[in-house]
Amino acid sequence: GLEFEDYIADCYRQKGWEVFHRGRDRPGADLGLDVLAVKNNRYVLVQCKRWATAREIPPEIIQRFGRDCEAYQRRRGHGH
């Protein structure tokens, strides 16, 4: 949920990254990406999944994240 996304976003902020919390900053337009962190022209795209340690993330979730990252890259050009 949003509390876990906030936690992840804060972790990046504390390490000096500029953070865009897409779930909050652009509701409904996050393209499946919850947090975007930018530092020194490096971009980190994060999709938060808080799974129980006994559960594996299904391959289709990982594949969807890969497609979401590719879509973001196509759409962003050099902006956020």
Side-chain angles (χ1 to χ4, degrees), residues 30-49:
D30 68 3
L31 297 175
L33 305 169
D34 298 319
V35 175
L36 167 64
V38 182
K39 183 177 180 182
N40 300 327
N41 284 329
R42 289 185 58 203
Y43 290 75
V44 175
L45 306 172
V46 180
Q47 172 66 53
C48 294
K49 297 291 183 209

